[in-house]
Amino acid sequence: LGLSVVATEHPAAALRVLKRLAPLCAGQLTSAYLTLGYKDGVLIREEYEACLAAGTFPYHRAQLINASVVAGCALAKMAWDHDPEIRVRRNALLILSGCGSVEQADSALHLALDSADFCGGPGVSVVVAGFECVAGRSGNPNHISRLLIRLESNPFLAATDREVLQRIRKQYLPGY
């Protein structure tokens, strides 16, 4: 439904429909939002800023951040710095980890580990996924080691997250 609306409607009209569907369809509209982001990145940014300022539509904001990846990291950085909604911040952290500068992503990952929202459950898995992106782009053993030590000491890591960390250690820090 979402993709057909984006394909046939004017971007602003499609965005209004997606906004109404977002709480009902949760993660099932990602491709529609990404397509809309490709069509009109300015509209995505303006809509996100308006919803953030009003403090409304958290599911919609989370999807808007996903859509912003098409246009770059600036909107994800804004969401990371200013959005109080955890699902929006998780999406922003993943985008920053993949397309932000290594220093920016490294800083955001350390801040995430200082936050109770990212210390356990799905939050820490997002940090591990972001770390995996940064480790591959960084190549700096010092950056990798600092984050790896912090993550490995987290008692709430799932077994699958620990496996990812072991793989990162073997791949990027073979002598440790």
Side-chain angles (χ1 to χ4, degrees):
L1 174 66
L3 274 175
S4 64
V5 168
V6 171
T8 59
E9 297 291 329
H10 182 273
L15 187 59
R16 285 190 298 274
V17 171
L18 292 177
K19 186 178 192 175
R20 288 192 301 268
L21 291 175
L24 305 172
C25 299
Q28 299 172 2
L29 297 172
T30 302
S31 57
Y33 275 93
L34 285 170
T35 303
L36 190 57
Y38 180 75
K39 283 181 156 186
D40 195 339
V42 173
L43 178 67
I44 295 295
R45 180 180 189 86
E46 290 171 352
E47 177 71 8
Y48 174 77
E49 289 173 347
C51 289
L52 178 61
T56 58
F57 303 103
Y59 287 100
H60 181 58
R61 290 197 322 261
Q63 290 291 355
L64 290 167
I65 294 305
N66 288 341
S68 76
V69 74
V70 176
C73 287
L75 195 58
K77 177 72 172 120
M78 178 194 298
W80 173 253
D81 290 342
H82 302 290
D83 202 305
E85 180 62 40
I86 185 63
R87 76 178 60 86
V88 176
R89 296 189 80 225
R90 285 180 189 153
N91 291 1
L93 182 62
L94 287 173
I95 291 169
L96 286 174
S97 298
C99 73
S101 71
V102 170
E103 293 77 19
Q104 187 179 53
D106 185 65
S107 174
L109 289 166
H110 278 285
L111 286 171
L113 288 173
D114 293 337
S115 166
D117 291 329
F118 288 91
C119 286
V124 74
S125 293
V126 168
V127 176
V128 170
F131 174 54
E132 190 171 22
C133 291
V134 171
R137 293 186 313 125
S138 166
N140 182 326
N142 294 323
H143 285 169
I144 294 169
S145 180
R146 282 187 332 202
L147 272 167
L148 187 62
I149 288 167
R150 286 193 72 191
L151 282 164
E152 286 176 333
S153 68
N154 186 315
F156 303 109
L157 279 178
T160 54
D161 291 333
R162 290 201 185 278
E163 290 170 11
V164 169
L165 296 178
Q166 288 172 353
R167 188 176 69 247
I168 291 170
R169 180 177 288 284
K170 285 179 187 174
Q171 185 173 355
Y172 298 107
L173 302 170
Y176 290 89

